[in-house]
Amino acid sequence: MSDRKSRQILRRAKENNKDAILVVTGCYAQVAKEELNKIKDIDIILGNAEKKDITKYVEEFISKKEKQNEVSDIMRQKHITEFETTAYTDKTRAVVKIQDGCDRFCSYCIIPYARGRVRSRTIEDIKNEVEEIAKKGIKEIVITGIHIASYGKDFKNGISLIDLLKELNKVEGIQRIRLGSLEPTIISEEFMKELIKLNKICDHFHLSLQSGCDSTLQRMNRKYTTEQFKKSVELIKQNYPNAALTTDIIVGFPKETKEEFLQTYKYLDEIDFYKMHIFKYSPRKGTKAAVMDNQITNSEKERRSAILIELSNKKQLEHNKKYIGKTVEVLLEEREDVYIKGHTTNYITVYVKNVKDNLENNIVKVEIENTYNEGLIGKISKM
């Protein structure tokens, strides 16, 4: 679906400006060079390793008027060559990419072939960037990457994600450190023992589950069982009692029977996530899952997706209701209608009433009065 949408946008771009130089780069270009070559409107195709040199290829195209096609083997790339610029969200939050690539090779995923092997930035490089972010007055950073649990795996000095977090926790001005999607296997007693010492870590954990059925997880080539995942969740709740747990779930994976789907439903109900992001399985050319037998029909995927979305909405509302009458700390981010919207440390959206101007990017205490949309609504506490 995403590939088809990408092709539609590419054609539309050229229709909107016939004189433009049309460049396609990134993951889609990396894994679908032959497919893109068939689209005559594309002038330049660049892989992930080449995109940093986009201006050079554009200049060559202008001088030669010949189609440029440079997509090297990303799997051979062993070291970091460049990283995207840090992204800022509403001037209150910065997204910091710490690594690229993935070595997990889940059967449904094309990312290892598109992004290559795990390659990590040095702690010094990341810390310098975060210090610059702090100077801009940004109070919260989000640690992201393709597979952040693998951070440091490519180093020979034993450095890991927890070592990086210890250093970032020292940066003055940064008040919140939010972790991106985590592989559940990183959540061990040793990891949590060190993490809980870091006062800036947010109590929001996104653990990518994908299925609540062991047979399905095995076909997906996930590296854990439902029992192991449950133990990771228990460790988080023991150390962070107010933690909000979110996850990703794929429905309609090849060979997923109705009984297996029911197992997933019961498991999700038991784990009690704050929110679940539900995705209908979509075959990706070049992956093992795409050629598996017993592909599930689209109508059945739709049915199963609707059931889990309903469960997710129910769980989220139940969690939100627990905060009515309580006071929470909110980082105010942006105005929305008559409110200022922000988030708690555990990433619950809060709408705050009667707030004066110029309070964005401030952390305030908010008395929660009720649920609102997918989050909460309240007023600034007088405390």
Side-chain angles (χ1 to χ4, degrees):
M1 179 64 72
S2 61
D3 289 353
R4 186 162 73 244
K5 287 182 178 179
S6 295
R7 291 192 295 272
Q8 290 172 350
I9 291 170
L10 292 171
R11 292 189 175 97
R12 199 178 307 137
K14 200 70 169 185
E15 288 172 3
N16 291 342
N17 190 343
K18 297 185 184 302
D19 295 326
I21 297 172
L22 184 56
V23 185
V24 183
T25 186
C27 292
Y28 186 31
Q30 185 68 47
V31 299
K33 178 176 66 174
E34 291 77 13
E35 196 172 279
L36 290 171
N37 271 326
K38 297 175 184 177
I39 302 177
K40 60 181 179 61
D41 289 334
I42 298 175
D43 299 308
I44 303 171
I45 302 172
L46 301 177
N48 275 316
E50 288 74 32
K51 63 184 178 182
K52 68 182 185 302
D53 298 319
I54 188 169
T55 51
K56 182 188 80 171
Y57 290 105
V58 169
E59 287 169 353
E60 288 180 4
F61 177 83
I62 292 172
S63 62
K64 298 179 181 179
K65 296 296 181 184
E66 294 180 359
K67 189 167 185 173
Q68 304 288 312
N69 194 327
E70 293 291 335
V71 181
S72 61
D73 184 358
I74 197 71
M75 303 301 284
R76 294 179 178 273
Q77 192 170 333
K78 296 181 180 180
H79 304 288
I80 290 297
T81 56
E82 58 86 27
F83 270 87
E84 290 85 353
T85 304
T86 296
Y88 294 92
T89 306
D90 304 322
K91 299 180 181 179
T92 63
R93 182 182 296 118
V95 178
V96 180
K97 187 174 178 183
I98 65 168
Q99 61 84 227
D100 207 342
C102 181
D103 296 342
R104 309 305 280 181
F105 291 94
C106 298
S107 64
Y108 54 81
C109 186
I110 199 69
I111 283 179
Y113 307 99
R115 306 297 299 194
R117 298 283 187 173
V118 170
R119 305 178 306 285
S120 307
R121 295 171 67 184
T122 64
I123 289 180
E124 181 183 16
D125 183 32
I126 299 169
K127 190 175 181 180
N128 287 341
E129 181 183 14
V130 172
E131 287 173 344
E132 289 302 312
I133 290 168
K135 290 177 183 177
K136 298 179 187 295
I138 302 293
K139 292 182 171 63
E140 180 177 314
I141 57 171
V142 184
I143 304 302
T144 64
I146 299 299
H147 193 267
I148 65 173
S150 294
Y151 175 81
K153 180 182 175 182
D154 50 322
F155 296 151
K156 296 180 180 179
N157 53 8
I159 293 294
S160 66
L161 178 62
I162 195 66
D163 299 302
L164 170 65
L165 296 177
K166 287 177 180 178
E167 289 303 310
L168 298 186
N169 198 70
K170 299 175 184 176
V171 177
E172 292 185 13
I174 298 299
Q175 296 185 34
R176 292 181 175 184
I177 301 174
R178 194 175 300 282
L179 299 175
S181 181
L182 287 172
E183 182 83 6
T185 53
I186 198 175
I187 307 296
S188 63
E189 289 188 10
E190 182 181 358
F191 181 81
M192 297 306 292
K193 181 181 177 181
E194 296 302 315
L195 194 70
I196 199 70
K197 296 176 184 176
L198 309 180
N199 65 312
K200 298 178 182 179
I201 298 295
C202 290
D203 49 351
H204 165 229
F205 295 87
H206 185 90
L207 300 182
S208 188
L209 173 59
Q210 306 302 1
S211 175
C213 167
D214 286 329
S215 298
T216 307
L217 287 175
Q218 193 171 16
R219 292 197 300 277
M220 289 177 168
N221 196 32
R222 300 294 283 176
K223 306 297 193 290
Y224 51 82
T225 64
T226 53
E227 185 59 31
Q228 290 170 327
F229 187 96
K230 186 178 180 181
K231 287 180 180 178
S232 296
V233 169
E234 289 171 349
L235 274 172
I236 290 173
K237 290 184 175 180
Q238 287 169 15
N239 290 279
Y240 294 90
N242 296 319
L245 299 173
T246 56
T247 195
D248 299 318
I249 300 294
I250 296 174
V251 297
F253 192 74
K255 301 183 181 181
E256 183 187 60
T257 65
K258 292 181 180 179
E259 291 74 22
E260 288 178 336
F261 173 71
L262 184 59
Q263 284 181 41
T264 291
Y265 183 92
K266 290 180 177 178
Y267 184 79
L268 297 177
D269 194 20
E270 178 186 354
I271 292 295
D272 198 28
F273 290 103
Y274 174 70
K275 186 176 179 63
M276 295 173 274
H277 302 277
I278 311 301
F279 300 93
K280 296 183 288 290
Y281 171 73
S282 178
R284 177 70 73 172
K285 185 180 177 181
T287 63
K288 291 183 178 180
V291 295
M292 286 181 177
D293 296 331
N294 300 326
Q295 298 282 332
I296 310 301
T297 64
N298 288 333
S299 60
E300 182 60 18
K301 291 177 192 176
E302 289 283 355
R303 188 187 74 84
R304 296 179 188 182
S305 175
I307 290 172
L308 293 190
I309 289 173
E310 183 180 1
L311 176 63
S312 178
N313 292 339
K314 174 189 170 187
K315 292 290 184 183
Q316 189 172 22
L317 182 59
E318 288 174 353
H319 276 276
N320 286 343
K321 284 181 176 178
K322 296 176 184 177
Y323 286 90
I324 296 175
K326 295 184 178 179
T327 299
V328 296
E329 287 193 345
V330 178
L331 173 58
L332 301 179
E333 296 163 17
E334 61 177 342
R335 283 204 170 268
E336 188 167 302
D337 296 327
V338 296
Y339 310 117
I340 286 189
K341 185 174 72 171
H343 287 87
T344 60
T345 55
N346 54 3
Y347 210 56
I348 298 175
T349 304
V350 178
Y351 296 84
V352 187
K353 303 187 296 184
N354 304 323
V355 179
K356 298 178 181 178
D357 291 334
N358 304 320
L359 275 181
E360 287 91 344
N361 200 32
N362 280 278
I363 296 176
V364 299
K365 291 186 177 181
V366 177
E367 296 177 10
I368 301 302
E369 298 174 337
N370 210 335
T371 60
Y372 182 78
N373 291 342
E374 290 188 351
L376 302 165
I377 190 167
K379 60 184 179 182
I380 293 182
S381 172
K382 294 180 181 179
M383 293 173 60

